[in-house]
């Protein structure tokens, strides 16, 4: 099984994208604007394919380590529902979206 990796979100030092190979599954991040006496971290797990509409998990945790462990547990429960076609659909949509924004950028810079 492919190992989950985390990539820091470029604009937020306290936010990580969680990836499975090249598929972004969700995030683990420090919550902004919450009182100090509540969980300071949040996580969400799930990805694009239309076949997975509404199939997401999320939660909050007191520490990054607990948020990471809860994310990994949610992923272990989520992964059996996924097929290779789901991952391919995600990749096609990701690539199309990148191409679309590149075309828009080209038009905006004329």
């Amino acid at each position: 099984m492919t190992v989950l990796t985390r990539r820091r979100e470029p604009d937020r030092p306290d936010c990580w994208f969680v990836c499975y190979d090249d598929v972004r599954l969700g995030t683990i991040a420090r919550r902004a604007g919450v009182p100090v006496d509540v969980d300071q971290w949040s996580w969400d797990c799930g990805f694009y394919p239309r076949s997975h509409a509404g199939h997401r998990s999320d939660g909050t945790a007191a520490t990054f380590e607990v948020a990471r462990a809860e994310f990994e547990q949610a992923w272990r429960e989520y992964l059996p529902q996924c097929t290779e076609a789901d991952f391919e659909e995600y990749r096609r949509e990701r690539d199309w979206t990148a191409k679309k924004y590149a075309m828009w950028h080209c038009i905006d810079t004329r």
Side-chain angles (χ1 to χ4, degrees), residues 5-75:
T5 58
R6 291 185 313 275
R7 298 178 185 143
R8 197 175 289 272
E9 203 275 315
D11 298 322
R12 284 186 61 193
D14 54 359
C15 179
W16 288 265
F17 297 135
V18 183
C19 300
Y20 179 74
D21 194 16
D22 64 337
V23 175
R24 191 164 84 190
L25 304 175
T27 58
I28 300 173
R30 183 177 294 275
R31 298 170 71 196
V34 298
V36 296
D37 61 336
V38 300
D39 289 344
Q40 296 298 300
W41 291 87
S42 66
W43 59 270
D44 64 86
C45 178
F47 67 106
Y48 165 73
R50 283 184 265 284
S51 62
H52 287 233
H55 296 188
R56 298 188 68 80
S57 295
D58 58 47
T60 62
T63 67
F64 173 80
E65 291 76 18
V66 172
R68 186 178 76 189
E70 290 177 0
F71 182 99
E72 290 173 356
Q73 177 60 38
W75 176 242

